[in-house]
Structures are given as structure tokens and as C-alpha cells.
């Protein structure tokens, strides 16, 4: 290294996308895909929740490792990692809620505590949980751990609302859609923290996707449309790929 070299300065751009309308459209589609694909493996293939969780956890770890090792933002890699978090979140939440007998309320409470703990540890360690700060491996590790907890929480929360609370898939979808609309109103009409609003919206898109996914593939007797989980997953994947091409994304600018 030259004696005149200086320590490498933080990258001007991070490795996560700018938060735009296109980002949210793809995010909701990805969370819906996580539900249908997770159910396809654990239910349609009859592998069970534990085996499904093991399969998707392996995919998730490989995707996160590749994402962290990447030097720049790659849209396809980023969204592949998001989809991995949604699928493993689906099977993991179902395993905890149903196989372990924790129940939707217990599972949601536990996952909420883990999510808040992850955000708190991230903030105490790095000083901020803003997306624009995700420019280092340590920040990325916190980012993906937080997303993992939020996706799993969203599955449990969606099932709890649709089943235990008795709202059904359509009623739950309307509820979470209304909550997201309230966040949009708060974004444009108040001075509430943009970071707080981002994470609130990010968390709520998951139960919305979960109940929409269930609505697509659950039997008619349970209030669903009884569509093939494989066909629904393929259609959602195609929609996401088209979305990535249509909504040209760039990396979020660093806060530094």
C-alpha cells in the first residue's frame, strides 16, 4: 500500500435498494410468494414444516452470504435473498405455531420480542437502523437478521388475524392494507421518523402477503380460491422478475 494511501472511505451507495413505489410492489409480491412456495414444499410436497424450514434455512444462509460478499448492489441477488427470508419465515412460523404447539398468539409474541431485540441491538451497536446505513458487513448482518424475524413474525401475525381473530383472509388483507395506508398518510402528512415508518411498513407487508397467499391457495371451504400452490408461486415469481426489469432500481445512497 502506498504511504499516501488513506483508510478506505465508506461507499457512497449501499447494497440495498432505494425505497420507492416499485420496491414496495415487489416486496408485497415477494412476501406472497413466500407463503405459497413455503406451503408448496411443506404441505403439497408433504415434507412437513421442519424439513421445509431446514431446506429454506439452507437457501437463506447461502443467499445472505452471497449478498454480504457482493461488492455492489445486485437487484436479482437482493430479491432472491428477500424471497429466501419469506419462505423460511413461512415454514418456521408454521412449525412453531402448529408443530410445537406455541399457537399464533405465543408465536407472534415471541417473534415480536426477537424483532425488537434485533432492532435494539443494531441501534446500540451501530447507532442507527436506517436503510441508508447498510453499507458494511456488520450492518448487513443486522439488516438480514431483522428482516428474518420480521418475515417470520408476519406469517404468524397473518395466520392469527385471519384464523384466530376470525377476520378471514379477505378481512385480514383489508386490515393490513388499511394499516399500510395509514403509514403512507403518516409519511406524507407528519414528521414522524422515516426510519420508524419504513420498518413499520416493512413488517406489515409480510402479514399482508401471508393472508393474500393463503387466500390464493387455501381450499374453498376455508375461504380460499383453491389455486395450485405451484401455479400461484410460478405466477408470482414471473411477476417479480418482470417487476425487477420494469422498476429500475439503484442502491440506496449512504447516510455517511
Amino acid at each position: 500500500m502506498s504511504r499516501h494511501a488513506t483508510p478506505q472511505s465508506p461507499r457512497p451507495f449501499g447494497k440495498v435498494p432505494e425505497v420507492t413505489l416499485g420496491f414496495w410492489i415487489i416486496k408485497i409480491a415477494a412476501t406472497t410468494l413466500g407463503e405459497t412456495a413455503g406451503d408448496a414444499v411443506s404441505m403439497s410436497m408433504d415434507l412437513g414444516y421442519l424439513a421445509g424450514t431446514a431446506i429454506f434455512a439452507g437457501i437463506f444462509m447461502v443467499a445472505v452470504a452471497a449478498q454480504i460478499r457482493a461488492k455492489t448492489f445486485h437487484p436479482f441477488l437482493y430479491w432472491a435473498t428477500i424471497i429466501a427470508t419469506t419462505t423460511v419465515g413461512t415454514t418456521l412460523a408454521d412449525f412453531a405455531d402448529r408443530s410445537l404447539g406455541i399457537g399464533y398468539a405465543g408465536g407472534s409474541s415471541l417473534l415480536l420480542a426477537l424483532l425488537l431485540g434485533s432492532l435494539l441491538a443494531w441501534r446500540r451497536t451501530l447507532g442507527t437502523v436506517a436503510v441508508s446505513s447498510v453499507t458494511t458487513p456488520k450492518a448487513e448482518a443486522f439488516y438480514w437478521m431483522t428482516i428474518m424475524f420480521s418475515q417470520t413474525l408476519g406469517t404468524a401475525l397473518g395466520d392469527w388475524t385471519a384464523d384466530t381473530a376470525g377476520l378471514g383472509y379477505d378481512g385480514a388483507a383489508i386490515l393490513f392494507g388499511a394499516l399500510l395506508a395509514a403509514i403512507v398518510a403518516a409519511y406524507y402528512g407528519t414528521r414522524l421518523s422515516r426510519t420508524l415508518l419504513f420498518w413499520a411498513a416493512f413488517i406489515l407487508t409480510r402479514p399482508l402477503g401471508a393472508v393474500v397467499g393463503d387466500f390464493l391457495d387455501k381450499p374453498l371451504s376455508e375461504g380460499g380460491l383453491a389455486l395450485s400452490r405451484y401455479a400461484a408461486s410460478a405466477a408470482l415469481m414471473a411477476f417479480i422478475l418482470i417487476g425487477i426489469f420494469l422498476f429500475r432500481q439503484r442502491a440506496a445512497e449512504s447516510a455517511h
Side-chain angles (χ1 to χ4, degrees):
M1 180 183 291
S2 168
R3 64 180 180 176
H4 299 295
T6 58
Q8 186 177 7
S9 59
R11 295 187 295 272
F13 292 91
K15 285 162 50 183
V16 298
E18 234 179 359
V19 180
T20 62
L21 177 60
F23 171 88
W24 292 116
I25 291 174
I26 299 174
K27 170 61 166 59
I28 293 172
T31 61
T32 308
L33 172 60
E35 190 71 21
T36 58
D39 286 348
V41 170
S42 62
M43 297 180 185
S44 296
M45 293 183 183
D46 201 26
L47 295 181
Y49 300 126
L50 183 58
T53 298
I55 292 170
F56 290 124
I59 296 173
F60 167 68
M61 288 187 286
V62 170
V64 169
Q67 173 71 21
I68 292 177
R69 286 175 62 85
K71 301 301 181 184
T72 57
F73 169 64
H74 299 285
F76 289 100
L77 176 58
Y78 175 84
W79 287 109
T81 310
I82 287 289
I83 292 170
T85 67
T86 65
T87 48
V88 72
T90 295
T91 55
L92 181 58
D94 287 342
F95 176 71
D97 295 340
R98 300 168 186 173
S99 298
L100 295 182
I102 296 175
Y104 297 137
S108 297
S109 299
L110 174 62
L111 290 164
L112 178 59
L114 290 171
L115 173 61
L116 294 176
S118 176
L119 286 168
L120 178 61
W122 182 1
R123 182 174 178 81
R124 287 178 64 88
T125 302
L126 299 179
T128 179
V129 296
V131 172
S132 58
S133 71
V134 184
T135 59
T136 65
K138 183 178 289 188
E140 279 192 272
F142 276 116
Y143 177 80
W144 289 112
M145 179 172 65
T146 301
I147 286 179
M148 174 65 187
F149 287 141
S150 76
Q151 306 284 38
T152 310
L153 169 63
T155 300
L157 190 58
D159 289 342
W160 185 16
T161 305
D163 297 335
T164 306
L167 293 183
Y169 303 124
D170 50 353
I174 292 172
L175 171 63
F176 292 120
L179 290 174
L180 284 169
I183 291 175
V184 172
Y187 180 87
Y188 288 105
T190 73
R191 295 185 178 181
L192 286 174
S193 166
R194 276 15 189 180
T195 299
L196 173 64
L197 292 174
F198 167 81
W199 283 110
F202 196 97
I203 292 166
L204 285 172
T205 55
R206 178 58 183 125
L208 174 61
V211 295
V212 171
D214 281 338
F215 176 69
L216 293 175
D217 64 31
K218 292 301 183 187
L220 295 174
S221 60
E222 297 179 17
L225 295 179
L227 300 179
S228 162
R229 294 186 177 106
Y230 303 117
S233 298
L236 287 163
M237 179 62 76
F239 179 86
I240 290 169
L241 291 174
I242 292 172
I244 293 174
F245 280 112
L246 287 181
F247 303 113
R248 286 300 195 185
Q249 298 176 322
R250 65 176 186 178
E253 293 188 23
S254 170
H256 300 290

